[in-house]
């Protein structure tokens, strides 16, 4: 699941709409979507989604996080036009928004549960990308689902989610002590800086998990309805200053969008090559078609106004229903239809925490 701030509402609503459809087909109330997967990986807002699904949080609860807590997290969204210089001046020495409410919401979801606790309780593997801000090194937080994976076992889920979603300019860097060494303070930045689309993180981890068993690898990759970026750049007009780059915010968007596209392309190419060599890898991308300019102007990383929530929800339901029609229709099944049927027809029924074995 990709990063994208408030656009995680789109991802959660797509999954919820599809899950409700399959639950109705099967005559049950709700699906445990997290347990439909052997491995979940997500970046930034997708990391919060992945962790919540792995932990057994219902999708309806995740959607409430965006709807109810989103406006309290993104209290100062980036404007456009003449208001932008004022916004830049106001936030020149700090992030635009505090992460205090996000931290409180994450601790409400996860409490003090660690990656080790999660895996022992649910047996769902989890990989969450972030960045070591002090050292400029990539980081993937992992549950101890392989014998050698012990370094991250005591990190709290709430801290991991705060780390992966620490979007520069928009939110402060995430700082907390190392769980095994309280004297060591650590600082993390958003995982979207290097893996906004974490499909390659998932593929590499899956290859290690299956080892030489040649068990097939099926990957469902879900986007966040990103806003089309870019524009017309005339010859001789490439000397951009701080204002044009929005003091770094536009640089981050350029990096995240370009590497997300590149990772998706590389994943498809690798899947074809691995399959040709006898290790079956299938990657299916649930992406969104282009939206109108009126719709897309609301679908920003930090857009939490009612219009933004409505636009994201409407787009998600529309795209989910398009995917459902593929799975319900006659004729030759599409790759999307096959993937959704395999996942959601086998997903276990959701049980309240007190009912879990």
């Amino acid at each position: 699941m990709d990063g994208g701030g408030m656009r995680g509402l789109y991802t959660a609503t797509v999954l919820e709409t599809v899950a409700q459809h399959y639950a109705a087909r099967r005559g049950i109330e709700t699906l445990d979507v997290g347990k439909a997967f052997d491995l979940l990986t997500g970046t930034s807002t997708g990391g919060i989604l992945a962790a919540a699904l792995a932990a057994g949080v219902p999708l309806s609860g995740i959607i409430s996080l965006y709807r109810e807590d989103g406006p309290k997290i993104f209290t100062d969204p980036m404007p456009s036009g003449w208001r932008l210089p004022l916004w830049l001046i106001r936030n020149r020495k700090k992030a635009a928004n505090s992460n205090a409410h996000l931290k409180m919401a994450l601790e409400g979801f996860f409490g003090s549960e660690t990656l080790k606790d999660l895996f022992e309780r649910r047996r769902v593997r989890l990989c969450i990308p972030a960045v070591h801000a002090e050292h400029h090194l990539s980081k993937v937080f992992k549950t101890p689902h392989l014998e050698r994976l012990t370094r991250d076992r005591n990190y709290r889920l709430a801290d991991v989610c705060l780390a992966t979603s620490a979007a520069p300019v928009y939110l402060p860097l995430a700082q907390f002590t190392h769980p095994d060494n309280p004297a060591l303070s650590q600082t993390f930045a958003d995982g979207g800086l290097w893996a906004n689309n974490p499909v390659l993180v998932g593929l590499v981890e899956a290859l290690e998990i299956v080892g030489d068993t040649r068990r097939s690898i099926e990957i469902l990759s879900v986007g966040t309805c990103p806003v089309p970026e870019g524009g017309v750049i005339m010859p001789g007009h490439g000397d951009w200053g701080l204002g044009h780059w929005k003091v770094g915010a536009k640089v981050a968007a350029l990096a995240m969008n370009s590497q997300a596209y590149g990772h998706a392309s590389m994943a498809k190419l690798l899947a074809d090559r691995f399959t040709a060599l006898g290790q079956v890898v299938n990657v299916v991308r649930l992406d969104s078609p282009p939206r109108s300019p009126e719709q897309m102007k609301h679908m920003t990383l930090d857009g939490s106004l009612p219009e933004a929530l409505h636009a994201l929800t409407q787009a998600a339901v529309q795209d989910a229903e398009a995917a459902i029609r593929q799975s319900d229709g006659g004729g030759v099944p599409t790759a999307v239809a096959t993937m959704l049927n395999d996942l959601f027809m086998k997903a276990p029924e959701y049980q309240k925490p007190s009912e879990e074995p």
Side-chain angles (χ1 to χ4, degrees), residues 22-351:
Y22 278 94
R25 276 180 60 176
R26 293 169 55 186
I28 58 180
E29 186 175 346
T30 312
L31 300 182
D32 187 338
V33 175
K35 280 204 169 182
F37 297 89
D38 300 301
L39 168 68
L40 286 163
T41 181
T43 299
S44 195
T45 193
I48 296 173
L49 275 166
L53 289 175
V57 177
L59 278 161
S60 58
I62 302 171
I63 289 171
S64 294
L65 170 70
Y66 292 100
R67 289 193 164 279
E68 297 172 14
D69 294 289
K72 301 172 186 176
I73 294 168
F74 293 106
T75 58
D76 191 9
M78 181 183 294
S80 58
W82 65 269
R83 294 182 181 85
L84 179 60
L86 298 177
W87 185 90
L88 296 174
I89 293 171
R90 183 167 64 249
N91 297 306
R92 67 189 183 278
K93 293 184 178 181
K94 65 177 182 63
N97 309 278
S98 166
N99 62 5
H101 192 86
L102 175 58
K103 183 177 181 180
M104 182 180 68
L106 292 172
E107 290 178 343
F109 262 166
F110 303 119
S112 59
E113 186 164 41
T114 66
L115 291 169
K116 177 185 176 183
D117 297 334
L118 168 69
F119 186 64
E120 290 180 348
R121 178 172 65 89
R122 295 268 294 172
R123 310 307 294 180
V124 178
R125 303 169 181 88
L126 190 63
C127 289
I128 306 293
V131 173
H132 275 292
E134 297 134 315
H135 312 296
H136 292 205
L137 296 176
S138 59
K139 167 69 180 176
V140 180
F141 292 98
K142 300 181 182 182
T143 49
H145 52 261
L146 293 172
E147 189 173 320
R148 67 173 185 81
L149 298 178
T150 59
R151 289 183 302 168
D152 303 331
R153 65 191 185 280
N154 292 324
Y155 279 101
R156 299 192 314 156
L157 280 171
D159 289 334
V160 169
C161 289
L162 198 68
T164 190
S165 56
V169 180
Y170 297 96
L171 289 165
L173 297 171
Q175 293 186 310
F176 45 85
T177 59
H178 193 289
D180 299 323
N181 183 359
L184 176 62
S185 175
Q186 296 183 300
T187 303
F188 293 97
D190 198 296
L193 294 172
W194 72 278
N196 202 53
N197 176 352
V199 63
L200 287 180
V201 174
L203 173 55
V204 169
E205 194 68 18
L207 287 167
E208 185 169 7
I209 291 168
V210 302
D212 57 4
T213 66
R214 296 299 176 99
R215 179 185 175 188
S216 66
I217 296 171
E218 305 286 333
I219 300 176
L220 177 65
S221 175
V222 189
T224 59
C225 201
V227 179
E229 300 276 2
V232 177
I233 304 174
M234 296 299 292
H237 290 77
D239 191 8
W240 292 0
L242 290 176
H244 203 115
W245 285 111
K246 295 184 178 179
V247 194
K250 203 167 182 178
V251 177
L254 178 65
M256 290 179 179
N257 291 337
S258 59
Q259 56 88 357
Y261 176 81
H263 286 191
S265 300
M266 287 187 284
K268 294 291 283 186
L269 177 61
L270 286 170
D272 291 343
R273 294 306 304 147
F274 275 117
T275 299
L277 294 170
Q279 169 62 69
V280 176
V281 178
N282 180 34
V283 180
V284 172
R285 175 76 168 172
L286 275 188
D287 227 332
S288 56
R291 271 17 210 234
S292 71
E294 178 64 23
Q295 289 173 307
M296 295 308 297
K297 76 178 185 180
H298 298 295
M299 298 181 183
T300 58
L301 184 150
D302 56 351
S304 58
L305 294 175
E307 297 88 344
L309 303 179
H310 179 74
L312 287 165
T313 300
Q314 291 295 101
V317 171
Q318 180 183 346
D319 293 350
E321 289 180 346
I324 289 167
R325 284 194 295 273
Q326 294 183 49
S327 65
D328 282 349
V332 179
T334 64
V336 168
T338 300
M339 179 73 75
L340 294 184
N341 281 325
D342 285 349
L343 280 169
F344 291 96
M345 289 303 289
K346 298 173 184 175
E349 185 175 5
Y350 176 76
Q351 296 179 324

